[in-house]
Amino acid sequence: MNPIVAIFAQGAMGAGLAKVLTGHGVTVLTSLDGRSAASTARARDAGMKAVSFQELATADIVLSVLPPAEALPFARRFAATAGAGGCKPLYVDCNAVSPDSVRQIEAVLIAAACGFADIGIIGLPPREGAKAPRLYAAGPGAPRLAALRARGLDIRLLEGPAGTAAALKMAYGGITKGLAAVASAMILGASRAHVAGHLFDELADSEAQMLASLQRRIPDMLPKAYRWVAEMREISEFCAADPGAAAIYAGAADFYARIAADVEGPRDSAGQLERFFERAPAPRSD
């Protein structure tokens, strides 16, 4: 029998996962209270069933797929609702938060007698013809998530307590999104110094594979920069034992905050980054 799954909220990832599940016959609940028209449209397209917030707790499995800053407040609100209603679903934190944050969330849910697991999502939202995101799961309730593997999700179980999957997500995101921040900062520096064209040519000559990756990643980053600010802060916390590393990601958070403000405003930096990748390598003279 298919489990009933609740997913909150209805962003690209949450709605994408829901569409996979509903396509395999799973009932997916969500709450649209106070949500935008865009969220409502994504939920409808994914086949999600709108219910009250209280009814989310009647699901067998609840997936929290939110911006990092909303993960703990949502967990507290959900725990209060589940505890009052007597429902004890498996609560799964799928957010880009540090292991310490996961352990705080776990404590809230365990106090409400809910099951708990954490998932680190690596990859883009599900879409036809593209590689599916990998959902790495850990914690005491993780084995129960194996049931979703047969319902279209790429669930990969990790040994270890809650926070193990978050640690993998932090490390992976620290590399991929950290590299995007470093590369963007240097492209902007080269633009200010009027050597951006020469930098492009040198990368095309000596680091063609890296350039091709950045050519995909950096333009895609621009509209998402605002979402990466809190994630960089979580990664900084993940690196707290190494002050130098923590400072790198605190700086990346500040950098992405500036890029996000620019995208919403003058688009000076965004425009420089976009123009950099529109360049063609200069012809070789040798």
Side-chain angles (χ1 to χ4, degrees), residues 222 256-273:
L222 295 172
Y256 280 131
R258 187 180 72 76
I259 293 296
D262 177 75
V263 167
E264 292 299 314
R267 291 190 60 84
D268 293 333
S269 295
Q272 289 175 8
L273 291 168

Side-chain angles (χ1 to χ4, degrees), residues 51-79:
V51 298
S52 69
F53 187 86
Q54 291 72 21
E55 288 177 277
L56 294 179
T58 63
D60 300 302
I61 298 170
V62 177
L63 305 181
S64 168
V65 190
L66 291 162
E70 298 178 28
L72 182 55
F74 177 80
R76 287 171 172 156
R77 182 184 175 200
F78 181 86

Side-chain angles (χ1 to χ4, degrees), residues 23 65 70 118 120 132 141 154 190 208 231:
V65 190
E70 298 178 28
D118 76 305
D154 186 358
E231 185 172 347

